[in-house]
Amino acid sequence: MVKVKIMKAISERNDEVAREIRENLKNLKITSINLISSPGSGKTTLIERTISLMKGKINFGVITGDLFTPLDAERVEKAGAIAFQLNTEGSCHLTAPMVKSALNEIQLSGINLLFIENVGNLVCPSVWDIGENYRVVILSVTEGSDKVEKYKTAFYGAGAVVISKIDLLEHCDFSLEKVKADLSAINPRASVFFLSAKTGQGMDSWCGYIERIACAS
């Protein structure tokens, strides 16, 4: 019982900070996206390619969550965006207080869209509000087509789902039909994108989505 009460207190505080973040970003006219996926699905590569393709249209800021290294933030900076690395030192997800601490360190003036690259995990990040406006879940074809069914919580709350590394589809045991059917059953409202950040396939549609939600803020 004591542990349950402690977790409730932590969750309530997190949600309070998340609401504060959302209000502050709204006042600054910044749209925020929480990117959730398993490790190696291509989150950072997608961010890099999006920044490159939309240069001159949207100014990006990026908070990258990782266990220990600054590697992702370094890649994002090279791509041309303001970046801040959050190292959780073993924690499997970002929290709203973590994101707030990062926002205090970033020059937010001029940013239109903020990517928050969560720690690679389809379980823990799915139940934590970190102040985002939109939640996007990435699933690569190399992971298998059973993941939507197995990790329903992650996909249920997503505003969009990206099926990444589509250029590798013919080499993987991955059923697009199953994934489409599972998504339709779990979250029919989600926008779904099939793309390869490496080859550029499907990126036009994805960038159109980014531009629409950024302009809506």
Side-chain angles (χ1 to χ4, degrees), residues 118-176:
N118 220 309
V119 178
N121 190 334
L122 280 177
V123 182
C124 303
S126 64
V127 295
W128 288 84
D129 183 359
I130 56 173
E132 75 269 22
N133 300 117
Y134 297 90
R135 182 169 295 189
V136 175
V137 180
I138 303 175
L139 172 67
S140 74
V141 300
T142 58
E143 296 175 67
S145 46
D146 60 346
K147 296 302 180 290
V148 176
E149 185 178 14
K150 290 178 70 174
Y151 299 99
K152 293 180 181 180
T153 305
F155 292 92
Y156 177 78
V161 175
V162 171
I163 308 302
S164 66
K165 304 186 182 182
I166 202 72
D167 54 306
L168 299 177
L169 183 60
E170 63 181 289
H171 305 291
C172 300
D173 183 15
F174 188 92
S175 170
L176 288 179

Side-chain angles (χ1 to χ4, degrees), residues 6-217:
I6 291 172
M7 283 304 298
K8 182 178 179 182
I10 292 172
S11 178
E12 287 177 349
R13 173 57 182 158
N14 180 86
D15 291 348
E16 179 184 330
V17 175
R19 287 190 291 270
E20 179 184 331
I21 290 170
R22 204 155 18 243
E23 187 64 27
N24 289 343
L25 292 179
K26 179 182 178 181
N27 291 336
L28 293 170
K29 298 187 182 304
I30 297 173
T31 300
S32 58
I33 298 177
N34 180 7
L35 285 175
I36 296 175
S37 77
S38 299
S41 66
K43 289 192 299 296
T44 309
T45 301
L46 179 60
I47 292 171
E48 288 174 312
R49 190 65 183 259
T50 305
I51 292 168
S52 175
L53 290 173
M54 305 196 75
K55 195 168 293 183
K57 291 184 178 180
I58 294 177
N59 295 323
F60 292 93
V62 183
I63 296 172
T64 61
D66 207 345
L67 298 181
F68 299 104
T69 75
L71 299 178
D72 290 345
E74 291 171 356
R75 288 173 58 183
V76 168
E77 282 190 340
K78 287 180 181 178
I82 295 171
F84 187 88
Q85 183 75 49
L86 271 175
N87 287 343
T88 65
E89 297 187 337
S91 179
C92 60
H93 61 90
L94 296 181
T95 65
M98 290 179 190
V99 172
K100 182 180 178 181
S101 70
L103 291 172
N104 290 335
E105 301 289 335
I106 298 176
Q107 175 53 257
L108 295 173
S109 176
I111 291 176
N112 309 117
L113 190 138
L114 176 71
F115 279 123
I116 306 172
E117 182 182 359
N118 220 309
V119 178
N121 190 334
L122 280 177
V123 182
C124 303
S126 64
V127 295
W128 288 84
D129 183 359
I130 56 173
E132 75 269 22
N133 300 117
Y134 297 90
R135 182 169 295 189
V136 175
V137 180
I138 303 175
L139 172 67
S140 74
V141 300
T142 58
E143 296 175 67
S145 46
D146 60 346
K147 296 302 180 290
V148 176
E149 185 178 14
K150 290 178 70 174
Y151 299 99
K152 293 180 181 180
T153 305
F155 292 92
Y156 177 78
V161 175
V162 171
I163 308 302
S164 66
K165 304 186 182 182
I166 202 72
D167 54 306
L168 299 177
L169 183 60
E170 63 181 289
H171 305 291
C172 300
D173 183 15
F174 188 92
S175 170
L176 288 179
E177 290 71 26
K178 174 174 173 52
V179 167
K180 290 176 183 177
D182 288 345
L183 285 172
S184 180
I186 294 168
N187 185 0
R189 301 174 304 280
S191 301
V192 184
F193 302 92
F194 302 90
L195 59 81
S196 167
K198 182 178 180 180
T199 67
Q201 180 182 352
M203 287 299 297
D204 286 347
S205 179
W206 164 252
C207 288
Y209 169 76
I210 294 297
E211 189 168 8
R212 287 194 300 275
I213 64 176
C215 292
S217 64

